[in-house]
Amino acid sequence: MANLSSEFVGIKSPNPFWLASAPPTDKQYNVERAFEAGWGGVVWKTLGAEGPPVVNVNGPRYGAIWGADRRLLGLNNIELITDRPLEVNLREIKAVKRKWRDRALVISLMVPCDEESWKDILHRIEDTEADGVELNFGCPHGMAERGMGSAVGQVPEYIEMVTRWVKQHSRMPCIVKLTPNITDIRKPAEAAKRGGADAVSLINTINSITSVNLDNFSPEPSIDGKGTHGGYCGPAVKPIALNMVAEIARNPETRGLPISGIGGVTTWRDAAEFLALGAGNVQVCTAAMTYGFKIVQEMISGLSQYLDDKQIGLSDLVGRAVPNVTDWQYLNLNYVTKAHIDQDACIKCGRCYAACEDTSHQAIAMSADRTFTVKDEECVACNLCVNVCPVDNCITMVPLAKGAVDPRTGVKVGDYANWTTHPNNPSVQAAE
Ligand SMILES: Cc1cc2nc3c(=O)[nH]c(=O)nc-3n(C[C@H](O)[C@H](O)[C@H](O)COP(=O)(O)O)c2cc1C
Ligand code: SF4
Ligand code: SF4
């Protein structure tokens, strides 16, 4: 078994799997059972300022998107930060940390955007012995209308200012949690770094309406006939989160800034992808809410097995894919592939034919007995057929060797060449 011990901004945990700030981490009862199941750390459900606790709706707070098998693909919520009294949370945090010294316990915070409020909450949490703080600049609903959460996370100057206050008034490691509800994720990450953040974590949830009830014409979840936008998470958001993590990892301004990857992590493989794109650890919410705490055991054994198979350590995986993330103009235009159909695997459903014939390049032939074959002279290698085929590995993309003639273009496959030097590129023509 590979050693999965992890150290993130100086915080040690037995593995890189932390539960994200959300219902799974909102009380001692949950967090202790999560630790018993094997989670390496938790970010406690966001605490607010001293005073009357926030009030949640009493109707449904989730909307969802499912796959055809009713597997949960996306979850939308309109829940607020913790609605339990501050003192109760602080007492429980302290008790948990005392008992579980080897696990990471980070406290998520969200208070009004003034220095006194931040100073006050930081002093309140000081004697919990928690390992660090995470600043929730991401929550897109409810709190944002009160000038907190994503209302701060959408303004880089505010992020920088609040992060600086936190670093001034606390010695704890400070993780800044970013909202994806912005145009360019690099800007808030740069602001967090300027403010002195030890790390960023992302993504918080994405603004969304998952569905509309077509009888009462209310967005779901419907609260007495009215709905509001909520925060979207779960497997559906993983591609958005991966891209944002990669953008921060390869941005020269933020390169090297530790990243905690969040968004749709459900299996060890999802986690490994976040790590490869530069995340130092991962946080999980929806998967635990869907399948329970023990899901971490598959993550631990799967990642461990993968590292053993590859004969690499955890730290070797972190950032391994970052040098391979590039901009479109640097992709090799001389990499030529053709679709190939494995006739033994094909179940003759015809999906590839319909897709290619109607919406791609009319490159698949269908015979009278429903044998489907690729016409190399038409195939542009878009791989749409691969993606619509219901049989795994039935259609594969086969590269042409260097020097071979592409039957579609009549041109020999050459060495690496990209758009920046392509004769059709107007800027190349202008330079000549
Ligand atoms: C019901 C619910 C409540 C959440 N509450 C918080 C919160 O209080 N603070 C916070 O920073 N993120 C909160 N989140 C966001 C999660 O921490 C996480 O960033 C997001 O769900 C994406 O991860 P996932 O795809 O693994 O769920 C909440 C998410 C859900 C589903
Ligand atoms: S790769 Fe694209 S063009 Fe080629 S056969 Fe498949 S769908 Fe058609
Ligand atoms: S989509 Fe796949 S299984 Fe269906 S006909 Fe095409 S190759 Fe065969």
Side-chain angles (χ1 to χ4, degrees):
M1 287 277 278
N3 178 8
L4 294 186
S5 329
S6 153
E7 186 164 341
F8 187 76
V9 294
I11 306 173
K12 292 197 170 107
S13 57
N15 60 59
F17 302 110
W18 292 7
L19 280 170
S21 174
T25 65
D26 83 336
K27 57 173 85 71
Q28 181 173 2
Y29 175 75
N30 281 357
V31 171
E32 292 220 44
R33 281 180 313 121
F35 284 162
E36 275 156 24
W39 290 91
V42 300
V43 181
W44 201 273
K45 170 81 183 169
T46 306
L47 309 184
E50 176 87 89
V54 304
V55 177
N56 272 298
V57 293
N58 295 300
R61 53 181 90 164
Y62 299 114
I65 298 287
W66 302 272
D69 55 0
R70 183 80 191 175
R71 197 163 60 88
L72 186 78
L73 297 181
L75 187 69
N76 169 281
N77 84 87
I78 55 168
E79 177 176 288
L80 304 180
I81 61 173
T82 184
D83 53 13
R84 306 166 78 232
L86 183 61
E87 317 76 70
V88 175
N89 277 305
L90 295 179
R91 198 171 57 236
E92 292 188 2
I93 290 170
K94 190 169 180 173
V96 171
K97 188 62 212 180
R98 290 228 157 135
K99 197 162 157 196
W100 297 87
R101 292 269 175 215
D102 67 326
R103 308 303 165 97
L105 202 169
V106 171
I107 305 181
S108 171
L109 298 174
M110 182 198 287
V111 295
C113 204
D114 61 77
E115 190 168 356
E116 275 313 303
S117 300
W118 281 96
K119 201 171 154 187
D120 186 57
I121 189 80
L122 288 164
H123 287 162
R124 295 296 312 264
I125 65 171
E126 221 157 52
D127 82 342
T128 59
E129 297 173 45
D131 298 299
V133 290
E134 185 180 81
L135 315 188
N136 179 352
F137 295 154
C139 201
H141 48 265
M143 308 313 290
E145 292 89 320
R146 303 173 201 183
M148 292 181 265
S150 63
V152 178
Q154 285 165 338
V155 185
E157 291 77 10
Y158 291 171
I159 295 180
E160 184 179 341
M161 178 178 74
V162 178
T163 309
R164 193 160 280 134
W165 292 336
V166 171
K167 289 307 291 179
Q168 253 166 30
H169 297 298
S170 152
R171 284 192 308 264
M172 286 182 162
C174 167
I175 304 167
V176 172
K177 185 167 180 181
L178 303 178
T179 175
N181 299 311
I182 47 129
T183 318
D184 183 350
I185 196 67
R186 293 171 300 181
K187 302 300 167 205
E190 289 169 12
K193 189 176 174 191
R194 282 196 301 273
D198 297 282
V200 288
S201 57
L202 67 156
I203 59 174
N204 207 311
T205 53
I206 303 176
N207 254 332
S208 59
I209 291 178
T210 37
S211 56
V212 176
N213 182 316
L214 290 179
D215 293 319
N216 72 2
F217 299 100
S218 151
E220 305 278 11
S222 178
I223 307 291
D224 196 23
K226 299 262 190 263
T228 183
H229 63 88
Y232 200 43
C233 52
V237 309
K238 185 184 117 186
I240 296 162
L242 282 180
N243 174 54
M244 290 186 164
V245 165
E247 285 299 287
I248 294 172
R250 75 191 185 101
N251 175 12
E253 302 296 318
T254 49
R255 194 172 288 149
L257 180 67
I259 303 170
S260 185
I262 318 171
V265 175
T266 311
T267 65
W268 71 266
R269 203 171 257 282
D270 299 326
E273 289 171 14
F274 272 95
L275 297 173
L277 282 177
N281 72 4
V282 292
Q283 297 184 30
V284 177
C285 168
T286 304
M289 291 180 69
T290 313
Y291 303 109
F293 288 143
K294 287 194 176 157
I295 193 169
V296 73
Q297 289 160 11
E298 181 276 345
M299 294 181 189
I300 292 170
S301 59
L303 184 62
S304 188
Q305 181 74 52
Y306 169 78
L307 294 176
D308 283 346
D309 290 351
K310 289 268 174 220
Q311 300 193 328
I312 56 172
L314 185 63
S315 57
D316 303 319
L317 175 60
V318 173
R320 191 106 174 200
V322 176
N324 294 331
V325 183
T326 187
D327 293 333
W328 192 94
Q329 72 258 31
Y330 302 118
L331 296 177
N332 183 5
L333 294 174
N334 283 337
Y335 176 70
V336 183
T337 63
K338 297 288 170 189
H340 174 77
I341 297 175
D342 177 348
Q343 298 301 336
D344 293 333
C346 175
I347 58 168
K348 301 183 186 296
C349 69
R351 273 196 204 169
C352 58
Y353 175 78
C356 189
E357 190 68 15
D358 290 358
T359 67
S360 191
H361 289 77
Q362 299 75 49
I364 294 182
M366 175 171 66
S367 68
D369 69 343
R370 292 182 71 81
T371 299
F372 297 89
T373 44
V374 175
K375 300 182 232 168
D376 284 356
E377 64 282 14
E378 302 294 343
C379 177
V380 300
C382 68
N383 96 338
L384 178 65
C385 54
V386 174
N387 291 309
V388 300
C389 176
V391 182
D392 205 18
N393 278 328
C394 175
I395 311 181
T396 46
M397 301 305 298
V398 182
L400 295 192
K402 197 176 139 198
V405 175
D406 178 349
R408 184 175 71 86
T409 59
V411 176
K412 270 192 188 169
V413 177
D415 291 326
Y416 168 88
N418 64 44
W419 176 243
T420 62
T421 54
H422 197 280
N424 291 14
N425 182 340
S427 50
V428 174
Q429 288 166 2
E432 278 167 358

